[in-house]
Structure formats: C-alpha cells, structure tokens
Amino acid sequence: MAGNSRLATAIHVAGMLSFADSMPLTSEAIAQSCGTNPVVIRRIIGLLTKSGLVIVKKGTGGGARLTRGPEYITLGEIYDALEEGALFDVPQFEAEHPCPLAKVVRPVLADVLNDAEREMKHYLCERSLAEVIELVRLRLGSSFGDSSFSAGCAADSSL
Amino acid sequence: MAGNSRLATAIHVAGMLSFADSMPLTSEAIAQSCGTNPVVIRRIIGLLTKSGLVIVKKGTGGGARLTRGPEYITLGEIYDALEEGALFDVPQFEAEHPCPLAKVVRPVLADVLNDAEREMKHYLCERSLAEVIELVRLRLGSSFGDSSFSAGCAADSSL
DNA sequence: CAAGTATGTAACTAGTCTGGTTACACTATG
DNA sequence: CATAGTGTAACCAGACTAGTTACATACTTG
C-alpha cells in the first residue's frame, strides 16, 4: 500500500466519465471498475469537483460527469486537482544554522528539484484525457465500437 | 515528516564531498551540516557507495569521498542511487476483473505515467553536481574563495 | 598489541500518508 | 415518504521517512 495510485485512479475515473458522456456514473459503478471502494472514489471525485473538472448530481439517478470534453482536460489538471505536495521536500535551515554553506545549498536545491518536478508536470499538461482514451481504443482494437464502452462496461458493472 | 527529503540530503552530501575534494568527511561532520543524524547520513552514503559514486574509508581519519569529479556525476545518478520506487503506482488487474475496459486502461496509464516520470529523471540526468555547485558559488557571491568552502564549513563543523 | 576513531547495521519509536471500511447525515427523484 | 446517491467523519492497517540508541566490525596510530 506504499505507492501513490491516486493519479492512476483519478485518470481512470475521468476516463470512465468521458465514456459515459452525459450519463452520470455512480461512485459505486466506478469503484467496481477501479477495483476499490466507493468512498475512495468519492474522495477523488470530490477533488475533481473542487477543481471544476467534474459536476456531481445527488440523489436517485445522480452521479458524476465531466464538465468538458476529454480533449479539453489535461492530465496535468487532474494531477493538480489531487493537491499533492511537492515531489521533493527540501528542508531549509534557520539563520542560526552552524554551517554557512548549508544555508546557501538548500535554496539552490529547492530550485533545481522544483524544476525537475515542473518537467514532469509539463509533460502531463501536454497530454489530454482524449489522448489517453485514444490509446485505450487502439489497444482494444476493433472488438468494441464507440458507444459500446459505456454500454459494455459502465452499464454492466452498475448492475 | 511527510515529504521525501532524501534526494535533497543526498545531493547536499555529494556537494560537501565535492568541496572536501580528496579529504574524506565523516558522517558526523556531514550530519551537522545537514542538520540531521550521522546514521541517516550513513544510510544515504551506503546507497551512494553501492552505486559507485562514493568510496568510504573506515577507522581513524576515515570518511567518504567522491569517486569522480562533480562534473562527471549527474543528479540523475544520485536519484537512481536512492532506489526510490516508481513515482506513480498503477495497480493492474487480474484476468477475472469484471470490467474489460479497466484491464485495458491500466497498462496505458502505466505507460503514460512512466513517461512523465522519465521526463523528470531526464532533467535530473542533464544536471551535473558541478552545475549545482556553481549555482551555490553564484549565490555565495564573492564572500568566499574557492578553497574556503571546505575550510570554512566542513572543517568548522567537524571540530 | 592496545586504544581510539569511524563505519555498518539492527532495532525501536514517532509521525505521516494511502487505502479500506463502516456509519451516518444530507439531498434529490419519483 | 421511500429510495438512491453523495459527502464526510472516524477508525484501522500497512508502509515509509526520519530520529535515535546500541553494538559489532574495521582501520589507524602509538
């Protein structure tokens, strides 16, 4: 349970919502596809909602759906929605720290490691959800048509 | 104590060893500069040694020193030495998984997120330890000369 | 050889995070 | 009102980071 699978789950969720198009999906249905618990899904959907990527309808027939088409959602936006902290922690020192070199090294390290993280984020910002879905379509080959995704998966697992 | 400060510490350590040039530094001296415990430093130095970046001499007058000049050590090598796991965990599903879409989505996500991580690593591999040291020199301005680094910091904190 | 110095490593603790789970209040539909 | 969903709090388990103590081992010097 060590690694961080939240981003994988979040993109998985967004992808499913994209397939379902305007039909809202329940956290229960999504959780089955993701092999996890509805509450875990709701926690993630809550963050996506907070970032304006998703809109949620409560009550009977409710569920979540995307606010935009997948071409207009980048993986970077999904990553940001999760509010992860900095990838690398660079503790800074107080003025009284005995080693003068250390006090200068740390801000430099913070800059460099921040840049490294930015490279990763930049890559994610250049990949749209639609691109990911297209890759999935390619892997699926021709076994499914366009609309059979939601019919074949989301509908199945919601019953 | 949440974040991962190991990379920052490891680069800090390598930077100090570079300043000390051929004079071995003890984990005690480095720990003082890093504001942490000698054992923490030894754990990191152990990994750097395992990767061939550092060589260690035991006993009186012992300590660690770099095996190469800082121009020939990249931050990517230091990152790899720490043997961190994958940045993003992408759990895969068994063949019996109920949702057929999910089983196809996960390998795609693994690819995409792996690429994102690779972008970050690529940036680190293009930055040498010498470049970091140069940035530190620039921030220090002209208050210190070249050799006063090890004399001013490492030597001070080792006494 | 003996004493001192330094590493290597195991063991334990504390704090934090992710993920799983249960429980329950709230809300919208019909 | 009954049902279907979400939102959220609370708690547990597992894992990791960092700090610390303790001790065996190895090297150097006198």
Side-chain angles (χ1 to χ4, degrees):
Chain A
M1 204 187 305
N4 208 353
S5 64
R6 296 171 78 218
L7 183 54
T9 305
I11 299 175
H12 187 142
V13 169
M16 282 195 72
L17 296 183
S18 166
F19 280 130
D21 203 23
S22 56
M23 189 180 94
L25 294 184
T26 68
S27 60
E28 174 64 35
I30 299 171
Q32 282 203 15
S33 174
C34 290
T36 183
N37 195 286
V39 175
V40 173
I41 298 300
R42 273 179 243 156
R43 287 203 272 241
I44 286 175
I45 285 183
L47 293 168
L48 296 177
T49 303
K50 193 173 161 189
S51 294
L53 298 175
V54 153
I55 198 167
V56 167
K57 201 170 73 172
K58 292 182 179 179
T60 306
R65 58 183 212 272
L66 295 180
T67 56
R68 318 171 215 158
E71 324 83 43
Y72 304 113
I73 295 180
T74 72
L75 303 189
E77 286 177 288
I78 297 177
Y79 179 85
D80 283 338
L82 299 184
E83 298 176 349
E84 301 275 0
L87 213 51
F88 303 111
D89 192 21
V90 185
Q92 304 293 321
F93 298 127
E94 307 297 326
E96 313 87 45
H97 189 77
C99 176
L101 179 57
K103 286 184 290 189
V104 180
V105 165
R106 293 308 178 113
V108 171
L109 289 183
D111 279 359
V112 172
L113 297 186
N114 216 335
D115 284 348
E117 179 174 350
R118 187 168 298 131
E119 287 296 309
M120 184 271 290
K121 268 198 193 176
H122 180 249
Y123 177 86
L124 291 179
C125 286
E126 281 189 335
R127 294 261 164 274
S128 71
L129 183 57
E131 281 177 61
V132 173
I133 291 171
E134 184 55 30
L135 288 174
V136 171
R137 285 224 169 84
L138 288 175
R139 291 224 189 186
L140 274 172
S142 50
S143 28
F144 291 93
D146 259 15
S147 54
S148 56
F149 282 120
S150 48
C153 174
D156 271 12
S157 41
S158 67
L159 291 183
Chain B
M1 204 186 302
N4 208 354
S5 64
R6 296 171 77 218
L7 182 56
T9 304
I11 300 175
H12 187 143
V13 168
M16 282 194 72
L17 296 183
S18 166
F19 280 130
D21 203 22
S22 57
M23 189 181 95
L25 294 184
T26 67
S27 59
E28 174 65 33
I30 300 172
Q32 283 203 15
S33 174
C34 290
T36 182
N37 194 285
V39 175
V40 173
I41 299 300
R42 272 179 244 156
R43 287 203 271 240
I44 286 175
I45 285 181
L47 292 169
L48 297 177
T49 303
K50 193 173 162 189
S51 293
L53 298 174
V54 154
I55 198 167
V56 167
K57 201 170 73 171
K58 293 182 178 179
T60 307
R65 58 182 212 275
L66 296 180
T67 55
R68 318 171 214 157
E71 323 85 42
Y72 305 113
I73 294 179
T74 72
L75 303 189
E77 286 177 289
I78 297 177
Y79 178 85
D80 283 336
L82 299 184
E83 298 177 348
E84 302 275 359
L87 214 51
F88 303 111
D89 193 21
V90 185
Q92 304 293 321
F93 298 127
E94 308 298 325
E96 311 87 46
H97 190 77
C99 176
L101 179 57
K103 285 184 290 189
V104 180
V105 165
R106 293 308 178 112
V108 171
L109 290 184
D111 278 359
V112 171
L113 297 185
N114 216 334
D115 284 348
E117 179 173 350
R118 188 168 296 132
E119 287 295 310
M120 183 272 289
K121 268 198 192 176
H122 180 249
Y123 176 87
L124 291 179
C125 286
E126 282 189 334
R127 295 260 164 275
S128 70
L129 183 56
E131 281 176 61
V132 173
I133 292 171
E134 185 55 31
L135 288 173
V136 171
R137 285 222 169 85
L138 288 175
R139 290 223 190 184
L140 275 171
S142 49
S143 29
F144 292 91
D146 259 14
S147 55
S148 56
F149 282 119
S150 49
C153 174
D156 271 13
S157 42
S158 67
L159 292 180

